[in-house]
Amino acid sequence: MPFLKEKGFECEEEGEAKLQELRMLAADSRYDKSFVDGIEKLESILKGDKIRQIYRYQEEIRATLKTEILARIKRR
């Protein structure tokens, strides 16, 4: 979503964190390049799915943000 990119929004999912851990383990243990290539392929798949999830749950995200913003306004 262009707005999220423009605002520099980052959200790391658990799967991304685990793949990063696996990447570090592979580097430290000097795993074969084919193993690292597999990690990169999984990262690519995960990134594509993350984008689809944002669009899939767009209405829920909007409703949650609206509720949060209204609650903050009422507290003022």
Side-chain angles (χ1 to χ4, degrees):
M1 300 187 92
F3 176 78
L4 296 177
K5 283 185 180 180
E6 180 182 302
K7 297 299 178 183
F9 179 77
E10 287 291 324
C11 175
E12 183 178 72
E13 295 180 349
E14 185 178 2
E16 292 172 305
K18 295 297 182 185
L19 279 175
Q20 183 61 29
E21 288 177 29
L22 188 57
R23 179 183 282 284
M24 291 169 49
L25 176 67
D28 291 345
S29 300
R30 297 183 179 152
Y31 282 15
D32 189 65
K33 181 171 175 6
S34 64
F35 187 84
V36 176
D37 291 344
I39 295 171
E40 290 173 358
K41 185 174 181 178
L42 287 171
E43 287 172 335
S44 176
I45 292 168
L46 191 60
K47 183 178 180 181
D49 191 54
K50 185 176 181 179
I51 292 168
R52 283 189 295 280
Q53 284 182 12
I54 289 172
Y55 284 105
R56 185 179 312 133
Y57 298 109
Q58 187 172 359
E59 291 306 315
E60 291 176 38
I61 293 168
R62 287 176 192 244
T64 302
L65 288 173
K66 181 179 178 182
T67 301
E68 179 65 26
I69 291 168
L70 290 174
R72 288 182 186 198
I73 290 172
K74 288 181 181 178
R75 282 185 261 177
R76 286 186 181 175

